[in-house]
Amino acid sequence: MALLTPEDLENINRQLQEADSTVRRVTGLDIKGVCKDFYGMTPCCEKVGIVPVTSGNGIIGNFSGSLHVITEYFGFDSFVTAMPDVSGYYEAVRNGARIILMADDNTFLAHNLKNGKIANNQPCTGRIYAEIASRYLKADSKDVLVVGLGKVGFPGAAHLVNKGFRVYGYDSDKALLEKTVSDLGITLFEPENPRKFSIIFEATPCADTVPEFVISENCVISTPGIPCAISRELQEKYGVELVMEPLGIGTASMLYSVL
Ligand SMILES: NC(=O)C1=CN([C@@H]2O[C@H](COP(=O)(O)OP(=O)(O)OC[C@H]3O[C@@H](n4cnc5c(N)ncnc54)[C@H](O)[C@@H]3O)[C@@H](O)[C@H]2O)C=CC1
Ligand SMILES: N[C@@H](CCCCNC(=O)[C@H]1CCC=N1)C(=O)O
Ligand SMILES: [Mg+2]
């Protein structure tokens, strides 16, 4: 499980603002606008209780604090409980939380206590980054390259198929790639038959997973993957619109999905 580090989350407010301006350039909407359109709901100050969890690798510095900044940025009223774990959950409910946000090393959830809806960060992240990529105003076709078909990438690829895009899929795990190609009916991307894409979605825990020969001028690379899928040098050489942010866009997607 690729866990966030406190460094990934430094100055999350600036990272969110930078990502928001890229999303606005790419789609014509800000992140809130994409979430509203995608989920058909808007928040009206729901109270969010953020509960730190000490299991496994334990509390990650900046994680709860970043969720506080992120929830407020998207118009929610949030608080981080003083206690972690069960005591923290109790505290959140007693203090009027409508939505609980908490994460162990394997699952990061949002649970709306009022309507019973529950969300998992991995599919919510995959879908929202795929949705942003699919709304690229300057796309030259409906062809999309998806690199990484795991817990985040697969739901994103499935969403793009449902939206009628022609998905070319790649994953270093050949067995997984073969299964996904047949399950989703997508096209196997073969690096030996290079071609360029104006829309690329990446969700892997490795750097430099998008090769130069698929990058077209001013293409969008929408990637929750950490570390970054392309080098700063390639980003500048091709004027790539890079939609990449470590926690906030995925969290917004979770919250809107449980409204
Ligand atoms: N920015 C955000 O909001 C979030 C980011 N993440 C990050 O997204 C990434 C993916 O997360 P998961 O889908 O849960 O991981 P996962 O392990 O379920 O899937 C990753 C997939 O990438 C493939 N892969 C690894 N190296 C590759 C390469 N060089 N080329 C092509 N495919 C390669 C693996 O075979 C695997 O199928 C992780 O870095 C995780 O930290 C996860 C959740 C939220
Ligand atoms: N238990 C810890 C949080 C652990 C979060 C681990 N999960 C990730 O790092 C995932 C979530 C989005 C991206 N990666 C705490 O409460 O401080
Ligand atoms: Mg994110």
Side-chain angles (χ1 to χ4, degrees), residues 1-4 51-53 55 58-60 63-64 103-105 108 121 246-247:
M1 177 70 197
L3 302 184
L4 284 162
V51 184
V53 172
S55 67
I59 284 173
I60 294 176
F63 185 76
S64 297
D104 64 17
D105 293 346
F108 171 24
N121 174 262
L247 184 59

Side-chain angles (χ1 to χ4, degrees), residues 2 121-122 125 129 147-153 170-173 176 203-206 209 224-226 245-247 250:
N121 174 262
Q122 286 147 341
T125 298
Y129 275 85
V147 179
L149 295 164
K151 296 185 284 295
V152 172
Y170 183 70
D171 193 298
S172 53
D173 178 334
L176 179 76
T204 80
C206 299
T209 53
I226 300 171
E245 184 279 339
L247 184 59

